[in-house]
Amino acid sequence: MLASPLRDASIRDLRALLAEEAAHWEAELHWDFSAVRGAVARGVERGTLNGRVLKDDSRALAYSYYLVDVGRTIVGSIFAGRAGRGRGLEEQLARAVLEDARSDRGCGRIECQTLFCTGPAANDRFVEEGFASRRRHYMRIDLRRSFPEGEPRLPAGFRSRTVQRADLHAAAEIVYRSHVGSLDAALNLTYATPSACRSFVDTLVLRGGCGRFDPEASRIVEGPRGPAGVLLASRLAGSNGHICQVSVVPEAQGLGLGRSLMLVALRGFDRQGLSTATLSVTADNEPAHRLYDLLGFEVKREFAAHAWLRPPGRVVFPS
């Protein structure tokens, strides 16, 4: 079975598969995928979306797409419907889209996080293709059964308040400074520069880049030296809140700011009647993972973050 270009597919071919994908991720991840589904459908209709599709006669069994961003190419879904799983289709798609992306000489960097991949073995394909990779965890807490104890207390001289539009520059600076020299910054260009962090924060808050922004659960912490911590939250689905980003500047780490921000966010979700909350974290980030474990989050899905630079460049992890 050959993977044909997504640009040559019709929305009639993909409509049923995209509907199945949206239902699948809402059930498994508590993630309303309707906005992504709509964006993919529009790209298919216009013939502008890069990717590959595997079809059996006229029925689409699996597809994958990629986006060209500033300084990188990002591989999105690698999804096979129920009729196509267990047949190695995801690995075949990964190989095809990586070959397509690399054939563009203007592509110097490729990234992928396989949260939206139905075939775990596709991760092996990235490793075989020379990508730097690390495991990540998608975690969830049931706020009806495991609400964390304790109050969101801050050290003397620190205070938290809701995030305002005027705080976006400070929030981006906190995110950037907290990631300098980190594993996440090596794998994800989002964290590599102040301008990339600002674009990321604007996307979360102003453009609904990870669900609908939730101002009640989002907070910024100010200390004696200025802004010191931030948590940005969203609604991924009607009953599920999501921690999009939580960051603390290096000089304020270890003071309990992260825990306080998390408790405020979870209480904000609870007040709004949400039943669950989710987040994702690099498995090797032991301090963050330890905090989430103590708060009652559980690992619901393991996936991976992959990054590749065109030689002679290479992704360098911190020692």
Side-chain angles (χ1 to χ4, degrees):
M1 188 183 305
L2 295 176
S4 58
L6 199 55
R7 287 173 177 266
D8 297 339
S10 72
I11 189 58
R12 187 187 323 170
D13 296 335
L14 271 292
R15 187 173 286 115
L17 185 64
L18 295 180
E20 183 181 350
E21 181 184 24
H24 178 83
W25 297 129
E26 180 151 13
E28 182 165 330
L29 303 178
H30 292 201
W31 194 310
D32 181 350
F33 219 62
S34 56
V36 178
R37 172 187 173 186
V40 170
R42 288 190 294 274
V44 172
E45 286 180 312
R46 296 168 182 163
T48 57
L49 189 63
N50 293 308
R52 293 279 175 163
V53 60
L54 289 164
K55 295 190 292 184
D56 181 5
D57 296 325
S58 61
R59 179 180 56 166
L61 298 176
Y63 88 108
S64 179
Y65 69 91
Y66 64 90
L67 305 171
V68 178
D69 194 15
V70 178
R72 59 180 169 172
T73 294
I74 302 172
V75 179
S77 294
I78 307 174
F79 180 81
R82 287 184 298 273
R85 282 177 218 151
R87 297 164 56 178
L89 301 187
E90 295 93 342
E91 298 97 298
Q92 185 177 347
L93 284 168
R95 183 188 305 112
V97 295
L98 293 180
E99 183 177 339
D100 288 346
R102 283 171 162 168
S103 68
D104 180 356
R105 296 301 301 177
C107 171
R109 181 183 178 99
I110 303 174
E111 295 179 1
C112 180
Q113 296 204 29
T114 55
L115 179 60
F116 302 113
C117 176
T118 49
N123 287 303
D124 297 335
R125 175 59 54 194
F126 285 89
V127 175
E128 291 165 6
E129 294 290 336
F131 279 67
S133 306
R134 283 294 184 273
R135 293 179 303 120
R136 286 181 62 81
H137 289 153
Y138 186 79
M139 306 184 76
R140 184 165 72 237
I141 184 172
D142 187 335
L143 298 173
R144 300 164 300 183
R145 293 166 41 186
S146 181
F147 201 86
E149 299 179 355
E151 293 300 319
R153 296 179 179 175
L154 290 169
F158 291 84
R159 69 182 186 95
S160 75
R161 57 176 176 79
T162 57
V163 174
Q164 308 295 323
R165 186 164 184 153
D167 296 320
L168 299 189
H169 177 76
E173 182 69 14
I174 294 168
V175 173
Y176 171 69
R177 291 188 57 210
S178 71
H179 282 90
V180 171
S182 71
L183 179 61
D184 287 343
L187 287 167
N188 192 336
L189 205 59
T190 291
Y191 301 117
T193 66
S195 61
C197 286
R198 177 58 193 265
S199 178
F200 171 57
V201 168
D202 285 355
T203 297
L204 293 179
V205 176
L206 304 177
R207 295 190 283 275
C210 187
R212 178 165 55 86
F213 178 64
D214 188 335
E216 185 170 346
S218 301
R219 308 287 287 187
I220 189 165
V221 172
E222 295 175 322
R225 299 182 182 179
V230 66
L231 186 148
L232 301 174
S234 70
R235 291 276 197 98
L236 280 188
S239 62
N240 184 50
H242 187 68
I243 308 298
C244 305
Q245 184 67 48
V246 56
S247 291
V248 176
V249 295
E251 63 268 24
Q253 292 175 9
L255 301 179
L257 272 60
R259 182 176 186 276
S260 177
L261 285 165
M262 288 293 298
L263 287 172
V264 169
L266 296 178
R267 280 159 172 70
F269 291 148
D270 185 57
R271 281 194 303 272
Q272 297 174 77
L274 306 189
S275 57
T276 59
T278 52
L279 56 81
S280 62
V281 62
T282 299
D284 292 340
N285 187 342
E286 294 181 3
H289 217 301
R290 185 162 53 248
L291 171 61
Y292 304 146
D293 289 340
L294 290 172
L295 290 173
F297 282 83
E298 297 179 345
V299 176
K300 292 300 180 181
R301 180 174 171 82
E302 184 170 289
F303 60 108
H306 306 284
W308 171 87
L309 281 174
R310 187 176 297 279
R314 64 188 184 94
V315 177
V316 178
F317 289 153
S319 55

